[in-house]
């Protein structure tokens, strides 16, 4: 096994406030939007480097996955602009890393039909028909376009029970509390635990995140007996 830790310093940030172990002392502190999150993350990086000047010269790569793609791009742009003007402390930005990012809501949703066709979840005939009748737009559907609506209903029915994020895995709901209780008991015999769905890992993650030994090792601050959730 090759580890990157000897050559990299990885800083994980729970953002926006309320995710992971992050919290706010006031209810208003949980109110945020994408623009505010960019500003908060930007301020955080500067304050962190002020407190840890030994890392200032390190090459900086900012990364994020899923919805964070919407935030990472403007954040990196803002950091890069300051790098060009020489604002202190300088964030030595070198690039960005995105994992399955959300970049454009329309594109993300509109390409689902094409993806279903590429993975043979729908037939060539249905794909050609829906593409023609809906003019390639499967987000802004015209209810008066009966041919398009009929094709879209046929498509929806075919993928109804497909896990759109992992098409080879079962389509499951987020693990209910009862499932968490069962998995909690089975953790004592982890080699016997049967993970029924990928979502079972959320239950395992919550048990791990709320374990007092884990929180002590990570130096998590106890705040009003928080129960951390992955849902």
């Amino acid at each position: 096994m090759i580890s990157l830790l000897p050559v990299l310093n990885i800083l994980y940030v729970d953002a926006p406030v309320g995710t992971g172990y992050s919290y706010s002392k006031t209810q208003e502190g949980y109110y945020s939007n994408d623009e505010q999150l960019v500003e908060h993350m930007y301020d955080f990086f500067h304050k962190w480097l002020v407190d840890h000047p030994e890392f200032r010269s390190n090459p900086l790569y900012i990364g994020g996955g899923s919805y964070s793609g919407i935030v990472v791009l403007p954040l990196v742009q803002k950091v890069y602009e300051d790098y060009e003007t020489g604002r202190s402390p300088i964030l030595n930005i070198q690039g960005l890393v995105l994992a399955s990012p959300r970049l454009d809501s329309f594109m993300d949703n509109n390409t689902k039909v094409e993806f279903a066709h590429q993975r043979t979840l729908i037939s060539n005939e249905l794909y050609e028909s829906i593409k023609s009748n809906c003019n390639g737009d499967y987000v802004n559907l015209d209810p008066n376009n009966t041919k398009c609506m009929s094709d879209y209903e046929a498509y929806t029915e075919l993928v109804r029970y497909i896990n759109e994020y992992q098409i080879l895995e079962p389509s499951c709901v987020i693990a209910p509390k009862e499932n968490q209780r069962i998995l909690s008991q089975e953790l004592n015999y982890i080699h016997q635990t049967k993970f029924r769905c990928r979502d079972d890992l959320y239950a395992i993650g919550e048990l791990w995140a709320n374990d007092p030994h884990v929180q002590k090792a990570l130096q998590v601050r106890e705040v009003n007996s928080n129960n951390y959730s992955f849902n």
Side-chain angles (χ1 to χ4, degrees):
M1 179 180 294
I2 300 176
S3 174
L4 296 177
L5 294 182
V7 295
L8 291 178
N9 300 108
I10 302 178
L11 179 64
Y12 291 94
V13 183
D14 292 331
V17 175
T19 60
Y21 289 119
S22 64
Y23 67 93
S24 172
K25 294 181 179 179
T26 65
Q27 185 61 39
E28 291 74 16
Y30 290 101
Y31 302 149
S32 183
N33 55 41
D34 297 336
E35 290 76 16
Q36 288 177 321
L37 180 53
V38 169
E39 294 297 330
H40 292 164
M41 292 299 300
Y42 179 78
D43 290 340
F44 167 80
F45 281 126
H46 277 279
K47 292 177 180 178
W48 192 86
L49 283 179
V50 168
D51 291 339
H52 303 85
E54 66 272 22
F55 294 101
R56 290 184 184 179
S57 62
N58 286 19
L60 173 64
Y61 293 84
I62 299 177
S66 190
Y67 189 85
S68 294
I70 292 179
V71 176
V72 168
L73 291 178
L75 174 60
V76 170
Q77 178 66 29
K78 186 175 180 62
V79 170
Y80 179 75
E81 290 172 353
D82 270 4
Y83 176 80
E84 290 287 283
T85 59
R87 174 184 171 178
S88 181
I90 292 178
L91 300 178
N92 189 17
I93 187 70
Q94 298 297 311
L96 57 88
V97 180
L98 295 174
S100 299
R102 182 168 189 172
L103 302 175
D104 183 291
S105 297
F106 175 83
M107 180 182 67
D108 289 343
N109 290 306
N110 202 56
T111 53
K112 289 181 179 180
V113 171
E114 182 178 355
F115 177 81
H117 175 245
Q118 291 174 346
R119 297 299 180 270
T120 66
L121 301 178
I122 62 175
S123 67
N124 293 333
E125 291 76 15
L126 177 57
Y127 176 66
E128 293 300 332
S129 180
I130 192 174
K131 183 169 67 171
S132 174
N133 291 328
C134 297
N135 296 316
D137 185 346
Y138 316 113
V139 176
N140 305 302
L141 298 175
D142 179 3
N144 296 317
N145 186 339
T146 56
K147 290 184 177 180
C148 172
M149 296 303 297
S150 177
D151 284 344
Y152 191 79
E153 288 176 6
Y155 154 76
T156 301
E157 185 61 30
L158 287 171
V159 300
R160 182 184 302 276
Y161 300 107
I162 300 294
N163 182 339
E164 65 176 345
Y165 301 108
Q166 301 288 339
I167 64 173
L168 298 180
E169 296 184 8
S171 180
C172 304
V173 296
I174 299 297
K177 294 299 181 182
E178 176 62 16
N179 206 20
Q180 292 184 24
R181 183 188 65 78
I182 295 173
L183 288 170
S184 177
Q185 295 174 349
E186 292 179 351
L187 275 180
N188 294 324
Y189 310 95
I190 192 65
H191 61 283
Q192 299 178 11
T193 300
K194 296 180 180 179
F195 296 104
R196 302 158 185 81
C197 302
R198 177 179 292 259
D199 292 335
D200 288 344
L201 298 179
Y202 288 116
I204 297 296
E206 289 185 16
L207 293 169
W208 175 85
N210 289 286
D211 186 284
H213 301 290
V214 171
Q215 295 184 7
K216 182 178 180 180
L218 296 177
Q219 301 181 36
V220 175
R221 185 178 301 172
E222 184 176 346
V223 182
N224 299 327
S225 300
N226 277 358
N227 183 61
Y228 299 98
S229 173
F230 278 44
N231 292 346

